[in-house]
Amino acid sequence: MKRRAAAASAPVDYVATSLLASIGAMLANVRWPVAGSNWSEPPVLWCAVVGSPSSSKSPAMDAAFDLVRHAEDRMAAGFEDTQRQHETTKQIARAKREAWEADVKIDLKNGQFPSSMPEDAILPEEPVRPRVRVADVTIEKLAALAAGLPRGMMIVRDELAGWFGAFDKYGGGGSDRAFAIEMYGGRSYVVDRMKSPDPIRIRHLSVGVLGGVQPDKLPGIIAGPDDGLASRLLWSWPDVLPEFTLSREHANDDDAKAAFTRLSDLAMGSDEFGMPEPIRLRLTTEAEDVLEEFAREMSREANEATGIFSGAMGKSRGHALRLSTVIEHLWWCGQVGMREPGAISDKAVEAAAALLDDYYVPMAARVFGDAAIPADERAAMTLARYLKKHGLAKFNARDLRRDIGGALRDALAMDGACNALCDAGLIRDIGGRAGGSAGRRSKSFEVNSIVLRRA
């Protein structure tokens, strides 16, 4: 992952999050974890990578998608033959129907009761090319794909704000957003269509989500209805790399592609009627103990939190169950010759809980907290933390822009931060001109001692 992140000149966080989301989509309706008596969820993940337009979000996601593309191509091998066979079967069905209709007319003319239409006169369903990823797609089209691709899918968007903003754009009355929420749960779903008497029946609606978000678009996502949509997301908002670096190392991805191929080769199970069904993997007793303790801790913290962050904390136990399944299969597919997992281990649950506790929960706190704060105030908080950390009694804004980096490298952002701290009485402009001349102001400030005493 570090090599791929370096190649994309992106934080490794983006690549790792994209990889986890991609593995979850590969397992969507293929393997489901089971905890306790009957708690089971699909391992699809909804992930958002947050950063400015220049933070290499898309190249980082593409680094994971290279593996997905290879798996998709392998899954679709021979699909052209399937299409040709389908066309043949369809033409046979049409001919059979025409012959049956002619027989019906003759029978009715002779006063006889006509025979029932033969099964091979029924037009077959159109085959769907095997795939994992979909992009800009309507809800009805997504439902049709979900019905034709029982393994599950993942929506990929460069900008998730566009996906959220498109819900019910054409008067869906809230149904688009409701469908999106259902995509997370893996339950059966039926979509009734105005243009067709036949509804779309989906046995398990399991669709992962992965996309980028610009920080200034976050309020539009989390300020919507508190229906749990935003709290289902795992957020990644690392500090961006200070500068572009061009990787010159030749990358050989054969091993990674082979590992992803093992995921695409996993077979689905079936029910008593022969319909495709996820194979359930139970957590070991030790794994259930770990999950139970983690869930209790998250519940305590959720009770102490407020607003949408409390809802996100409440989703943590489900995230742990899903992530543990992803991690278990990530370990498996990377080891040639290892037996396919027959259960979810305590080590996988421990790893999932640690990842949530140490990374994704703090990232959610950053998103739900910082997104509600105006940009100038957010920049002012960053500047104040830096002054406190380094014990600076005086500073020059131009010099500090280079030292702090990130968003405060921008002159306007630094000016906004300084103005906000000045208005709060936490720093004071000590004036002066650069070089003591009549040129531009030096932008030098004195820091109130209260900043140095408090975090």
Side-chain angles (χ1 to χ4, degrees):
M1 285 190 293
K2 290 182 179 179
R3 175 175 57 77
R4 283 184 163 271
S9 191
V12 70
D13 312 47
Y14 289 166
V15 178
T17 295
S18 300
L19 180 64
L20 291 172
S22 298
I23 294 174
M26 297 295 292
L27 296 170
N29 285 328
V30 180
R31 297 292 183 274
W32 280 21
V34 181
S37 59
N38 60 0
W39 176 24
S40 185
E41 297 191 13
V44 293
L45 302 174
W46 286 15
C47 299
V49 294
V50 184
S52 67
S54 60
S55 58
S56 297
K57 300 187 299 294
S58 294
M61 290 190 289
D62 284 341
F65 295 155
D66 285 344
L67 305 179
V68 179
R69 275 190 287 267
H70 177 76
E72 285 179 322
D73 289 343
R74 193 173 186 280
M75 293 164 64
F79 182 69
E80 288 72 17
D81 292 336
T82 301
Q83 284 181 308
R84 286 192 291 270
Q85 182 59 50
H86 169 76
E87 286 299 319
T88 301
T89 304
K90 186 165 65 173
Q91 293 304 320
I92 291 173
R94 283 175 175 167
K96 293 279 188 179
R97 184 182 181 97
E98 290 173 0
W100 170 73
E101 289 174 345
D103 289 342
V104 169
K105 291 179 180 179
I106 294 173
D107 289 340
L108 291 175
K109 186 176 181 180
N110 295 332
Q112 298 176 349
F113 190 81
S115 60
S116 299
M117 184 175 69
E119 288 188 11
D120 56 2
I122 301 173
L123 290 178
E125 292 284 342
E126 291 285 338
V128 180
R129 184 182 183 86
R131 61 195 290 193
V132 177
R133 299 164 301 147
V134 296
D136 191 6
V137 62
T138 65
I139 292 299
E140 184 168 322
K141 179 61 176 178
L142 184 61
L145 288 172
L149 298 171
R151 293 178 69 94
M153 295 177 297
M154 175 171 64
I155 291 176
V156 178
R157 296 292 298 261
D158 279 343
E159 183 51 67
L160 276 180
W163 182 58
F164 276 77
F167 290 146
D168 304 303
K169 183 177 180 180
Y170 301 104
S175 60
D176 287 359
R177 192 175 181 96
F179 181 86
I181 292 174
E182 290 293 332
M183 292 180 345
Y184 189 78
R187 290 175 286 274
S188 62
Y189 200 84
V190 177
V191 179
D192 291 305
R193 298 175 290 179
M194 292 293 293
K195 298 179 181 179
S196 173
D198 297 325
I200 301 174
R201 301 182 185 276
I202 307 167
R203 291 183 61 80
H204 293 289
L205 181 57
S206 302
V207 183
V209 175
L210 174 63
V213 183
Q214 297 178 31
D216 60 351
K217 300 289 182 63
L218 282 170
I221 292 178
I222 67 177
D226 189 9
D227 53 10
L229 192 64
S231 62
R232 284 166 164 78
L233 287 159
L234 293 175
W235 302 88
S236 177
W237 191 359
D239 294 328
V240 298
L241 299 181
E243 59 186 17
F244 174 79
T245 56
L246 183 63
S247 176
R248 303 175 189 274
E249 180 184 356
H250 175 69
N252 186 327
D253 293 329
D254 289 348
D255 289 344
K257 290 178 179 178
F260 239 74
T261 295
R262 295 186 192 102
L263 293 172
S264 65
D265 285 345
L266 288 171
M268 292 186 67
S270 60
D271 62 13
E272 64 269 29
F273 305 107
M275 302 299 292
E277 187 73 11
I279 292 177
R280 264 70 171 183
L281 300 180
R282 293 208 62 88
L283 272 66
T284 65
T285 301
E286 295 79 8
E288 290 183 333
D289 291 341
V290 174
L291 180 61
E292 190 173 46
E293 179 56 35
F294 175 75
R296 288 172 177 167
E297 178 185 346
M298 290 297 103
S299 294
R300 288 193 292 269
E301 294 189 18
N303 288 333
E304 297 174 0
T306 58
I308 194 170
F309 181 58
S310 176
M313 296 290 289
K315 298 291 183 187
S316 292
R317 59 178 179 268
H319 284 143
L321 184 62
R322 294 164 183 250
L323 272 171
S324 63
T325 309
V326 170
I327 291 171
E328 190 76 69
H329 287 83
L330 174 63
W331 292 341
W332 164 75
C333 73
Q335 298 291 325
V336 179
M338 180 182 290
R339 291 186 59 185
E340 180 187 324
I344 307 300
S345 67
D346 57 327
K347 289 183 174 57
V349 178
E350 287 171 354
L355 184 58
L356 287 162
D357 205 20
D358 297 339
Y359 185 80
Y360 285 117
V361 168
M363 284 292 171
R366 179 180 185 184
V367 167
F368 297 135
D370 285 13
I373 301 173
D376 285 351
E377 293 184 22
R378 190 162 58 245
M381 293 169 63
T382 301
L383 176 57
R385 285 194 295 266
Y386 185 89
L387 298 174
K388 161 68 177 178
K389 179 179 179 180
H390 295 275
L392 299 180
K394 295 181 180 180
F395 71 95
N396 178 272
R398 292 192 182 91
D399 294 339
L400 226 56
R401 279 171 48 203
R402 294 188 294 270
D403 295 338
I404 297 178
L408 288 180
R409 287 179 67 90
D410 180 76
L412 292 178
M414 176 60 83
D415 288 345
C418 291
N419 291 337
L421 291 183
C422 283
D423 291 343
L426 298 178
I427 63 174
R428 180 173 67 89
D429 188 343
I430 56 179
R433 302 288 176 179
S437 65
R440 60 182 180 176
R441 295 185 65 83
S442 66
K443 295 190 176 182
S444 294
F445 298 86
E446 186 177 55
V447 180
N448 190 323
S449 60
I450 195 173
V451 175
L452 307 181
R453 292 199 301 268
R454 295 182 180 178

